[in-house]
Amino acid sequence: TGVQTCALPICAVLVICGSADKYTTLAESKRMFEQAKEPKQFWVVNGAAHVDFSRFDENHYKTKVLSFFKQYL
């Protein structure tokens, strides 16, 4: 499952989840994050569904993702 495979990467992991996601629940996202190895970051976008994170807070989304990329890529 997706939760189990999160333990495999040996790279930085950014888990972004929407609080209103009906496909990947907040609990599932938290389990994926817990399984991932460091370095890792977890961010919940309040009100967002499955793929609309940037619509809820575009500036914060860009800042968060670009900061992660700059740090780990």
Side-chain angles (χ1 to χ4, degrees), residues 1-9 31-32 35-37:
T1 68
V3 172
Q4 292 167 332
T5 57
C6 278
L8 298 178
R31 283 197 307 271
M32 283 188 267
Q35 291 295 316
K37 292 176 175 46

Side-chain angles (χ1 to χ4, degrees), residues 3-68:
V3 172
Q4 292 167 332
T5 57
C6 278
L8 298 178
I10 51 172
C11 60
V13 174
L14 174 59
V15 176
I16 305 174
C17 58
S19 64
D21 192 335
K22 296 177 183 175
Y23 299 102
T24 305
T25 66
L26 186 55
E28 290 170 327
S29 296
K30 286 180 180 178
R31 283 197 307 271
M32 283 188 267
F33 178 75
E34 290 166 0
Q35 291 295 316
K37 292 176 175 46
E38 294 285 350
K40 60 184 179 179
Q41 294 180 15
F42 187 77
W43 179 38
V44 178
V45 181
N46 289 319
H50 193 67
V51 294
D52 57 353
F53 310 123
S54 65
R55 268 194 283 160
F56 283 84
D57 191 348
E58 185 175 357
N59 289 331
H60 193 201
Y61 176 81
K62 287 179 182 178
T63 300
K64 189 82 164 175
V65 172
L66 291 175
S67 172
F68 182 85

